[in-house]
Amino acid sequence: MKAGGKISYHLPGLFEFYELYQVFLPVFREHREYFYDWCEIGSIYGAPADCIWGGGRVGFGEADPEEVLSLLKEYGISARLTFSNSLLKESHLLDKRCNDLCAMFESGGGVRNGIIICSELLLSYIKAKYPGFYFVSSTTKVLTDFLQLQEELEREEFRYVVPDFRLNKEFSKLNALSEKQKRKVEFLCNECCFYDCHDRKNCYENVSRKSLGEECEDHICVSPNAHRGYRFSDAMQNPSFIGIEEIRNVYSPQGFEEFKIEGRGLGSAIILEFLLYYMTKPEHQLKVREEIYLDSMLDLF
């Protein structure tokens, strides 16, 4: 992609932050002048609460799936079901709720919907039974070796691949990828996880067990700042952080156009901060805040 071209953001909270997007998307459409003209919403991703195929984060989304799908159809945005549980067995494939979601979201209207996936077993199942979806290789695979990333990018079943955030700045290797491979890389921009974490895969597996309803202790994070929780200001200090200046001046000119914003486990107020930082012109951020905060339907706090 040439400098100045479009980039796509993939936003968190399909079910978790439905009420926020119900207010934000009309502002994004009706006041496009408030937002950078070089960005668009590529998808909104997430999973409902108590969804056993879910992973990455323990889902808490309570929004009605039909209403969620209707909203994204109205705005022509791809919905992605986050089915990144890594510990699924054959028996789990019969789960009625997850199959019902697939049946509903497969016929997404004019825009094709996707599945973020980790399990090879689930990938084979959904490909065969619900062929209308595209697939995204989940960051929960923890692809920290660049050769692993290259192999994943060569797999035809994946439209996009989200590498581990610690590969974000491997510029010499990233820039050596083919144009086709570059178009498939989806960078996780705002990860706050400890950069030197050696236990990330176990953390995701703990979430997978909880999604399956297994009794297990909470994962103990090895980060020295785990007690602080997620803070955007901390994420900005992470060596892997990708800000808007880097997106425009470094990644975009090299042909990278897909960027994922994490935040499913956070609150609406911090998600709004992401939307302001990554998508909204500074001189219009107050106007967007006011549009959101003053909407009586939405309680950000």
Side-chain angles (χ1 to χ4, degrees):
M1 181 171 66
K2 296 179 181 178
K6 289 278 188 181
I7 67 97
S8 293
Y9 287 123
H10 303 278
L11 305 178
L14 180 63
F15 299 90
E16 297 89 340
F17 304 119
Y18 166 75
E19 292 182 348
L20 172 62
Y21 290 118
Q22 196 177 21
V23 176
F24 176 77
L25 293 178
V27 178
F28 186 68
R29 173 184 283 178
E30 295 165 15
H31 295 283
R32 198 62 180 85
E33 73 277 9
Y34 292 173
F35 304 92
Y36 296 117
D37 58 8
W38 46 262
C39 72
E40 60 190 12
I41 300 174
S43 73
I44 303 177
Y45 66 91
D50 303 321
C51 181
I52 69 167
W53 292 357
R57 297 290 183 268
V58 176
F60 63 89
E62 299 290 348
D64 179 85
E66 291 186 0
E67 293 181 358
V68 168
L69 183 57
S70 177
L71 179 68
L72 266 64
K73 279 184 177 180
E74 179 181 352
Y75 288 92
I77 296 172
S78 177
R80 290 183 179 177
L81 298 172
T82 304
F83 287 163
S84 53
N85 194 306
S86 61
L87 302 177
L88 297 175
K89 299 177 181 177
E90 198 84 33
S91 60
H92 297 135
L93 302 179
L94 302 178
D95 182 79
K96 185 178 186 303
R97 187 177 194 199
C98 294
N99 278 280
D100 287 348
L101 283 168
C102 284
M104 181 186 301
F105 279 78
E106 184 187 22
S107 55
V111 178
R112 196 175 185 190
N113 293 328
I115 304 283
I116 302 174
I117 204 157
C118 180
S119 165
E120 294 294 327
L121 178 66
L122 185 60
L123 173 63
S124 298
Y125 176 78
I126 296 179
K127 275 179 62 182
K129 189 165 184 179
Y130 306 102
F133 289 108
Y134 67 86
F135 295 94
V136 182
S137 176
S138 174
T139 192
T140 59
K141 293 183 179 180
V142 193
L143 301 179
T144 56
D145 184 283
F146 203 85
L147 289 178
Q148 290 179 314
L149 173 60
Q150 287 180 296
E151 291 172 358
E152 200 79 353
L153 290 169
E154 286 300 307
R155 296 181 60 177
E156 292 298 324
E157 55 263 62
F158 294 126
R159 179 183 289 189
Y160 303 110
V161 175
V162 186
D164 187 84
F165 69 102
R166 285 161 290 199
L167 294 183
N168 284 0
K169 303 298 177 73
E170 295 285 341
F171 292 119
S172 61
K173 296 175 181 177
L174 289 167
N175 291 334
L177 295 172
S178 68
E179 291 303 310
K180 180 180 178 181
Q181 289 173 322
K182 288 180 178 181
R183 287 193 296 272
K184 292 179 69 171
V185 179
E186 186 177 309
F187 292 99
L188 184 57
C189 295
N190 61 328
E191 178 58 69
C192 194
C193 181
F194 183 40
Y195 188 83
D196 294 320
C197 177
H198 56 78
D199 210 26
R200 193 166 172 83
K201 201 169 188 67
N202 287 331
C203 178
Y204 284 136
E205 287 185 356
N206 181 267
V207 173
S208 291
R209 291 188 183 94
K210 289 183 176 180
S211 295
L212 291 172
E214 296 181 11
E215 292 290 334
C216 58
E217 295 182 0
D218 290 340
H219 179 264
I220 299 175
C221 182
V222 300
S223 170
N225 294 320
H227 64 283
R228 290 169 59 86
Y230 186 97
R231 297 193 183 189
F232 196 21
S233 56
D234 288 347
M236 288 180 170
Q237 302 305 312
N238 194 305
S240 69
F241 179 74
I242 301 177
I244 56 170
E245 293 301 320
E246 286 181 297
I247 288 173
R248 289 296 289 156
N249 299 323
V250 179
Y251 290 88
S252 174
Q254 294 298 329
F256 298 103
E257 53 194 38
E258 309 295 332
F259 297 88
K260 180 176 182 177
I261 310 300
E262 82 157 18
R264 288 172 57 212
L266 306 177
S268 294
I270 189 65
I271 301 303
L272 176 58
E273 290 304 312
F274 299 155
L275 300 175
L276 293 170
Y277 173 79
Y278 280 105
M279 301 178 65
T280 312
K281 298 174 183 176
E283 64 270 26
H284 295 303
Q285 289 182 2
L286 179 58
K287 295 175 185 176
V288 175
R289 277 196 184 92
E290 289 174 335
E291 292 278 357
I292 304 300
Y293 286 152
L294 299 180
D295 191 294
S296 60
M297 293 174 58
L298 185 65
D299 180 7
L300 286 179
F301 301 99

